[in-house]
Amino acid sequence: MASSTTRTTASTGPSRRKFLQRLAIGGMALGPGSAFLASCATGGGGDDDGDDGDDAPPADVSDDNPLGIAEDEPVEIYIFDGGFGDAYATDLHQPIFSERWPDVTINHNAAVDIGAELQARFAANEPPDFINNSGDGQMDTGQLISDGLLADLTPLLDAPSWDDPDVPVRDTLIPGTIELGSRNGTPYVLNYAFTVFGIWYNKTLMDENGWPVPTTWDEMLDVCADIADHGIAPWVYQGVTAPRYMNWPLLTMAAKLAGPDVLVPLDNLEEGAWGHDAIRESAHALWDLGQRGYYLPDVEGMDFRDAQGLWARGEAVFCPSGSWIENEEADAIGEDPTFELAVMPEPLLSADAVMPVETIRATAGEPYIVPAQANNPRAGMEYMRAMLSMDGARGFTEKVTSLTAVLGASDGVEIEAPGLSSAQEALSAAGENVVNWLYPTWYPTMENPGIDQATGALLRGAIDVDEWVDQCEAAAAEIRDDDSIEKYTR
């Protein structure tokens, strides 16, 4: 069978030139958020000169081959070798794919620094067909989109699902998943894992010492005082590597206090948004923890894994994170057979808070993309379709202790991991009281280094809340005033 696409030659249009210039002066922009959109699923990542790239049609489309992939052409994938590792790909998703497509060779690659591995491939117009764009070396997907380097995933979402030909892929996803991976109505990113955020702790340690799970900030301070009296640090955060983890409880508590609408102006880059009274009060609470000596000593200079490792070994009690932490710190947690991981929603800052204490931040995450100018992009999308099968999603949950964005995929799954079970319970208790914000995805450099550095300085006491607000406002203004950055609103 003929190939579904052919490799295009490198464009010399303005979009491509700007991309190459960025690489030359310091490498591709990298950032910590999710990824998003771009060009054409058949491989045409056109440029400003009007060249639409490769417009070759797919192979024959049929009920058995809804995306029209070439059955004899290899597919090259890159998996981020981080918190989830890459065994879920080699041991689960690839066998599911290969059972249906035995003649398609899968060229598997794993990388810790995705950007460093692939930026030259993008520049040479030879990207792989499928990328797990995650980790500290995550490529700035917004910039990739602006440069026309990502594929529109509409063919995937419109295709019949792997398990039921009468149900399109888009209808198998938890509401909000497609929107999170879209810009201006076009889907570019599959956010596969479903993450529950909160404050993580060792339930056994809390129970043994009679420390109640605090539901208000006053209760939190009382519990912290008792913990400190026992010679244990009440809190840890992810050190110099990722102080932004503390932005998550900060903004969640602000939303509980004033309502979810307090988050919208942050995403919309509105002047003065970071100075809202609720955000100030929440920032003050976390600043005050440092003033009271409730952070793990010297955490401000630690790598995030070192800081989390000390927490997992009992040197601190509370740790902000997403539900991936159970897998990420499995080895350290496993050293203590009594460690029962649990997550708590952030306490209420005031009794007159607008949202209930059960409110949590939860969102689809862990982004996967298909480059527009890949050699075999439809096979990359077919690989995504296999991931979104019930077996693929359930197996992922069992293997890496993370929920997925596939509706009903965890139903009937026996979850032995206490942290993931706790996350499920928290999500159920929250009901519709789930919040999220999008500026880290839309504007990665606004969060890192912008807000990230400001929060790090706040936590270590180098600046006060007013100065933190000023620095956050400056980070937002830098994006707002840069005409080269496409803006989004919600």
Side-chain angles (χ1 to χ4, degrees):
M1 183 178 293
S3 170
S4 63
T5 62
T6 56
R7 194 178 301 279
T8 61
T9 57
S11 164
T12 57
S15 177
R16 175 67 55 186
R17 284 198 296 268
K18 287 188 293 183
F19 181 75
L20 294 174
Q21 288 166 358
R22 274 189 295 275
L23 290 177
I25 63 175
M28 183 179 295
L30 305 176
S34 291
F36 277 11
L37 16 154
S39 179
C40 171
T42 53
D47 59 39
D48 296 337
D49 292 336
D51 178 7
D52 292 330
D54 177 15
D55 291 326
D60 292 338
V61 173
S62 65
D63 290 344
D64 293 332
N65 187 4
L67 287 173
I69 76 166
E71 299 182 33
D72 57 355
E73 185 170 336
V75 59
E76 183 182 14
I77 73 168
Y78 263 82
I79 301 294
F80 168 58
D81 190 4
F84 293 144
D86 72 327
Y88 72 86
T90 57
D91 299 350
L92 175 65
H93 293 152
Q94 291 175 27
I96 291 173
F97 179 94
S98 294
E99 184 176 1
R100 187 166 296 188
W101 303 108
D103 295 329
V104 176
T105 300
I106 299 174
N107 295 327
H108 172 89
N109 303 273
V112 173
D113 191 333
I114 289 291
E117 288 275 341
L118 296 180
Q119 61 184 22
R121 301 256 327 250
F122 273 91
N125 206 31
E126 296 181 345
D129 305 305
F130 170 96
I131 302 168
N132 174 201
N133 182 34
S134 189
D136 285 341
Q138 179 184 43
M139 294 177 286
D140 183 345
T141 314
Q143 192 61 62
L144 292 175
I145 292 164
S146 296
D147 288 336
L149 299 177
L150 294 189
D152 178 352
L153 298 181
T154 298
L156 164 70
L157 298 175
D158 288 345
S161 61
W162 194 264
D163 302 299
D164 188 343
D166 294 327
V167 178
V169 169
R170 66 174 65 250
D171 289 349
T172 68
L173 301 176
I174 293 174
T177 300
I178 296 173
E179 290 75 11
L180 186 65
S182 301
R183 289 187 186 174
N184 296 333
T186 303
Y188 295 92
V189 175
L190 170 64
N191 289 292
Y192 184 66
F194 198 79
T195 300
V196 173
F197 295 83
I199 301 172
W200 298 80
Y201 64 95
N202 181 347
K203 185 177 183 298
T204 304
L205 181 64
M206 293 278 284
D207 290 346
E208 287 178 348
N209 287 280
W211 297 326
V213 174
T215 59
T216 69
W217 196 253
D218 286 341
E219 290 176 0
M220 170 61 78
L221 293 178
D222 289 342
V223 170
C224 286
D226 200 6
I227 292 172
D229 286 344
H230 281 70
I232 304 174
W235 277 72
V236 73
Y237 62 89
Q238 281 68 11
V240 69
T241 311
R244 60 185 170 275
Y245 279 46
M246 288 295 274
N247 290 332
W248 306 340
L250 191 160
L251 294 179
T252 303
M253 290 193 297
K256 292 184 185 187
L257 182 60
D261 287 348
V262 73
L263 303 171
V264 176
L266 305 180
D267 292 339
N268 293 347
L269 304 176
E270 294 181 19
E271 188 172 356
W274 290 91
H276 191 286
D277 287 346
I279 293 177
R280 285 180 177 273
E281 185 168 343
S282 191
H284 182 273
L286 300 186
W287 170 84
D288 184 54
L289 288 179
Q291 299 304 299
R292 294 171 183 261
Y294 288 162
Y295 292 130
L296 181 71
D298 301 321
V299 69
E300 67 275 6
M302 295 181 187
D303 174 84
F304 84 102
R305 289 302 303 273
D306 291 338
Q308 288 181 177
L310 292 174
W311 161 79
R313 293 176 174 87
E315 295 193 27
V317 174
F318 300 118
C319 178
S321 189
S323 44
W324 64 78
I325 195 170
E326 185 163 32
N327 189 67
E328 191 168 60
E329 295 301 330
D331 290 344
I333 291 173
E335 295 173 9
D336 180 0
T338 69
F339 195 121
E340 183 179 351
L341 183 64
V343 64
M344 57 172 277
E346 292 81 356
L348 298 178
L349 292 169
S350 172
D352 60 358
V354 172
M355 302 187 77
V357 68
E358 291 83 7
T359 301
I360 59 170
R361 181 191 181 204
T363 181
E366 196 63 17
Y368 296 80
I369 56 177
V370 173
Q373 298 192 7
N375 186 55
N376 198 2
R378 286 184 176 264
M381 283 186 254
E382 180 71 354
Y383 186 86
M384 287 182 171
R385 198 168 72 97
M387 290 173 61
L388 294 169
S389 67
M390 276 294 171
D391 286 344
R394 286 174 179 164
F396 184 85
T397 295
E398 292 170 342
K399 195 168 191 67
V400 305
T401 64
S402 173
L403 304 175
T404 71
V406 177
L407 281 166
S410 63
D411 294 350
V413 175
E414 290 189 16
I415 298 178
E416 298 181 359
L420 185 59
S421 177
S422 178
Q424 279 189 309
E425 292 172 4
L427 188 60
S428 177
E432 296 182 357
N433 296 303
V434 175
V435 299
N436 193 30
W437 48 91
L438 298 176
Y439 74 84
T441 297
W442 288 352
Y443 315 113
T445 58
M446 174 177 160
E447 170 158 91
N448 183 19
I451 309 299
D452 204 6
Q453 290 185 352
T455 297
L458 179 76
L459 299 176
R460 65 178 183 268
I463 59 175
D464 61 20
V465 172
D466 288 340
E467 293 169 309
W468 176 81
V469 169
D470 289 343
Q471 290 189 22
C472 292
E473 283 290 312
E478 185 174 351
I479 301 297
R480 185 172 60 244
D481 297 340
D482 189 339
D483 293 337
S484 71
I485 298 175
E486 187 173 0
K487 309 302 189 300
Y488 306 94
T489 59
R490 68 178 179 105

